Amino acid sequence: MRSSALNVANDSVVAEARAELAMEIAGLGTFERDLQSGWMSFSDRASEIYGVGAAMPWSDWLQGVHVEDRAGLLALKEQILVDASLIDCEAAFRYRRLDGAERYIVKRFRVLRDGAGTPVLDVGVIADETLRRAEELRGAWLL
């Protein structure tokens, strides 16, 4: 139980600390994509997973997505632009890092919209599912 000496402003600090700890334990990275400028920014963990710097244009990031998975992400981007009811999204895809390593990524994000319903920002988390995916495939081969 927390001391009653802590004020309400500290509640947000505690909530942020909990969220950061949970993401660290789960190995999640975070990202933001500015839908107006096309720039993406990444947390340290997301940068590590993708093998990129802290920020880059979305079009450059997209080049790392496996060619067979790009169409799905492009379709999702278009759907976000035309469907104002679309808020929570999820995508799974393969990503080839600059060092040549291929990762299997799952990302979940929320689309933030302005008062007119225009999408302005994606905010989300990514998980590197490569090891889990490899174990699934290994298990399927053994059956």
Side-chain angles (χ1 to χ4, degrees), residues 136-143:
E136 282 179 1
L137 292 173
R138 237 186 312 272
W141 289 345
L142 295 174
L143 293 179

Side-chain angles (χ1 to χ4, degrees), residues 37-142:
S37 71
W39 274 83
M40 295 184 75
S41 59
F42 308 101
S43 67
D44 290 344
R45 177 65 180 137
S47 292
E48 179 184 327
I49 291 169
Y50 285 132
V52 298
M56 67 192 311
W58 186 77
S59 58
D60 290 352
W61 171 85
L62 187 64
Q63 295 307 305
V65 174
H66 192 285
V67 67
E68 293 175 3
D69 299 334
R70 278 188 207 151
L73 290 175
L74 289 168
L76 180 57
K77 179 185 176 191
E78 290 305 312
Q79 188 178 3
I80 288 167
L81 296 175
V82 299
D83 184 354
S85 69
L86 188 57
I87 298 171
D88 292 325
C89 302
E90 182 174 336
F93 53 92
R94 292 162 288 177
Y95 193 87
R96 182 163 305 276
R97 296 163 35 113
L98 292 176
D99 64 8
E102 187 171 275
R103 312 309 296 170
Y104 186 81
I105 307 295
V106 174
K107 74 175 187 173
R108 293 179 180 94
F109 61 97
R110 181 159 289 164
V111 180
L112 305 179
R113 298 176 183 275
D114 65 15
T118 303
V120 293
L121 191 68
D122 290 342
V123 178
V125 297
I126 67 164
D128 184 346
E129 296 283 315
T130 306
L131 294 176
R132 184 191 62 75
R133 182 86 167 153
E135 288 299 319
E136 282 179 1
L137 292 173
R138 237 186 312 272
W141 289 345
L142 295 174

